[in-house]
Amino acid sequence: PVMRDPQSGMWMVFDYAGVQRTLSDWKMFSSQRGRPQGKDAEHALSTSLISTDPPRHRQLRSLVEQAFTPRQVRALEPRIAELVDELLSAVQGTGGMDFIRDFAYPLPVIVIAEILGIPASDRDAFKRWSDAVVTGDPSGSREMGAYFARLIEQRRVEPGDDLISGLIAAQLEGEHLDTQELLGFCILLLVAGNETTTNLLANTLLCWQDAPDAHAQVLADRALLPGTIEESLRFRSPVQSMFRVAAQDVELGGQLIPEGSPVLAWIGAANCDPAQFPDAGTFDPARTPNRHLAFGNGIHFCLGAPLARLEASVALGAVLDRLTNLRVVDTPLEPIPSQIVYGVKSLPVT
Ligand code: HEM
């Protein structure tokens, strides 16, 4: 359950109890230590909320949390339903589509872009940038950084009712966030919120392909959809691993992890731990309880979880209603080349 990978020198944690502790015990497992620091766009993500420990983490989180309460998120439902309708209407009757390119990718991008107040004309560039950020290509971060820096300056002069304007006005202990911190929020929301939700939608189709009975059951009874989404999050977790650094010597799973060691908590493995999930290899939408760790655990628990769940429920509900004969085309699928993000690059369906 806990081992040191001799090649990378990284400690790997696989079991449910160990992953839960690694993610939540921030005194022992830091999100901040060892992150490259710097005041430029390339470092905006590694100095953002997700890469900070308390007390800084608590301050930053309280600023952005207001925008993502379950109530605020619920208010987005009619707009999400409208977008889902537009996207599905554009492909309905064409006989097939790439589920990712035509549906699962654009939906979360448009939603987060509207929350941030990004003009519709600029959305296409995001796919390139967020892909580049996820695969570690610095040119993507630079381009995205330059774009957001311009947008932030514009909003300083002409505030709107979007999240960026709200964050500019927000104060942290009497001080405003600086441009670097604002940039960190924008890039984090875009990166954390897009690819993950895209993959949740597409991975659910793959779950249905593996378990046609579960697909037939939810087609017949929509009340099974929330359980289906939770089980998809467990079974094909869009985020497979999260990084920490041991803040002290720490014992975990009978091993001593020395202070300063890099640690990778394998969410995808924990979510298949038979000690926590009986019959873990079966896709079971009726699984109760289903305490998966797909959104993390503890203080860094996914800020966007209510939004991701809402998008998935509206989007997959519409897919079930409108595309009753939907089938994944039987063709080899190419995985996204990442240790963190789990999904496929494209998903042809008929
Ligand atoms: C944090 C997964 C959607 C914003 C996290 C973490 C996970 C995760 C595992 C914990 C990171 C850690 O412990 O270090 C997912 C999955 C999603 C999803 C699987 C979709 C299915 C979203 C969306 C947004 C979002 C839609 C925003 C619009 C964030 C932010 C954090 C976060 C800001 C950092 C929270 C903090 O450090 O306090 N997410 N996420 N996520 N997520 Fe998500």
Side-chain angles (χ1 to χ4, degrees), residues 177-196:
L177 293 170
D178 65 24
T179 300
Q180 169 81 3
E181 289 161 332
L182 290 165
L183 210 62
F185 267 130
C186 295
I187 296 187
L188 174 62
L189 290 177
L190 210 58
V191 172
N194 283 341
E195 192 126 6
T196 47

Side-chain angles (χ1 to χ4, degrees), residues 230-251:
E230 296 310 307
E231 183 66 345
S232 169
L233 283 160
R234 181 192 75 81
F235 198 74
R236 289 181 179 265
S237 307
V239 174
Q240 288 281 305
S241 61
M242 271 293 149
F243 180 74
R244 297 288 190 270
V245 170
Q248 306 173 25
D249 288 352
V250 51
E251 207 194 303

Side-chain angles (χ1 to χ4, degrees), residues 72-85 310 314:
Q72 291 221 273
V73 168
R74 266 199 307 278
L76 298 171
E77 183 165 354
R79 178 63 186 141
I80 295 173
E82 200 172 69
L83 290 169
V84 163
D85 186 52
L310 176 67
V314 175

Side-chain angles (χ1 to χ4, degrees), residues 7-341:
Q7 264 179 353
S8 62
M10 183 104 78
W11 284 82
M12 305 278 184
V13 184
F14 297 109
D15 66 313
Y16 186 90
V19 169
Q20 187 175 34
R21 166 135 190 247
T22 310
L23 293 177
S24 58
D25 186 351
W26 53 267
K27 288 196 176 121
M28 291 295 187
F29 299 98
S30 166
S31 294
Q32 190 166 323
R33 261 182 80 145
R35 298 295 178 135
Q37 302 288 310
K39 286 257 165 203
D40 53 40
E42 268 176 72
H43 294 94
L45 203 56
S46 60
T47 53
S48 76
L49 176 71
I50 202 165
S51 312
T52 53
D53 293 333
R56 182 78 183 143
H57 174 266
R58 203 170 310 121
Q59 298 169 334
L60 288 175
R61 179 131 179 164
S62 70
L63 280 183
V64 76
E65 225 160 32
Q66 272 81 40
F68 289 93
T69 59
R71 201 166 133 244
Q72 291 221 273
V73 168
R74 266 199 307 278
L76 298 171
E77 183 165 354
R79 178 63 186 141
I80 295 173
E82 200 172 69
L83 290 169
V84 163
D85 186 52
E86 279 171 25
L87 291 167
L88 287 183
S89 296
V91 291
Q92 206 158 20
T94 59
M97 64 166 152
D98 178 347
F99 187 76
I100 292 180
R101 185 198 59 207
D102 298 330
F103 187 63
Y105 164 69
L107 179 66
V109 177
I110 299 174
V111 171
I112 198 72
E114 290 191 354
I115 292 175
L116 285 169
I118 286 156
S121 51
D122 296 334
R123 278 174 210 152
D124 278 353
F126 290 160
K127 170 85 177 140
R128 259 187 309 116
W129 296 337
S130 63
D131 279 359
V133 172
V134 169
T135 54
D137 168 3
S139 69
S141 316
R142 271 198 298 271
E143 276 183 47
M144 199 191 268
Y147 174 81
F148 275 122
R150 276 197 306 276
L151 196 65
I152 289 166
E153 290 320 311
Q154 256 171 29
R155 292 291 185 275
R156 279 193 206 284
V157 182
E158 250 181 274
D161 59 359
D162 52 84
L163 183 60
I164 294 182
S165 303
L167 289 172
I168 290 172
Q171 293 196 6
L172 201 63
E173 292 179 344
E175 284 183 33
H176 290 284
L177 293 170
D178 65 24
T179 300
Q180 169 81 3
E181 289 161 332
L182 290 165
L183 210 62
F185 267 130
C186 295
I187 296 187
L188 174 62
L189 290 177
L190 210 58
V191 172
N194 283 341
E195 192 126 6
T196 47
T197 311
T198 300
N199 291 326
L200 169 59
L201 300 179
N203 290 354
T204 305
L205 256 56
L206 295 174
C207 292
W208 282 335
Q209 189 194 28
D210 289 344
D213 288 355
H215 186 207
Q217 280 162 8
V218 72
L219 266 171
D221 180 6
R222 233 35 122 247
L224 295 173
L225 187 54
T228 300
I229 293 168
E230 296 310 307
E231 183 66 345
S232 169
L233 283 160
R234 181 192 75 81
F235 198 74
R236 289 181 179 265
S237 307
V239 174
Q240 288 281 305
S241 61
M242 271 293 149
F243 180 74
R244 297 288 190 270
V245 170
Q248 306 173 25
D249 288 352
V250 51
E251 207 194 303
L252 194 69
Q255 304 269 18
L256 185 75
I257 303 179
E259 185 195 342
S261 305
V263 181
L264 211 52
W266 282 96
I267 291 174
N271 282 343
C272 293
D273 183 344
Q276 176 70 22
F277 301 102
D279 208 3
T282 301
F283 179 77
D284 175 11
R287 186 180 290 282
T288 29
N290 187 354
R291 297 198 185 95
H292 63 72
L293 300 175
F295 288 122
N297 195 254
I299 60 166
H300 290 279
F301 183 82
C302 178
L303 182 77
L307 178 60
R309 285 183 166 126
L310 176 67
E311 286 184 48
S313 132
V314 175
L316 294 169
V319 165
L320 290 169
D321 285 344
R322 294 178 55 169
L323 310 177
T324 37
N325 292 320
L326 182 92
R327 295 277 174 279
V328 173
V329 174
D330 189 13
T331 175
L333 298 172
E334 201 184 332
I336 294 165
S338 163
Q339 284 211 1
I340 302 171
V341 175

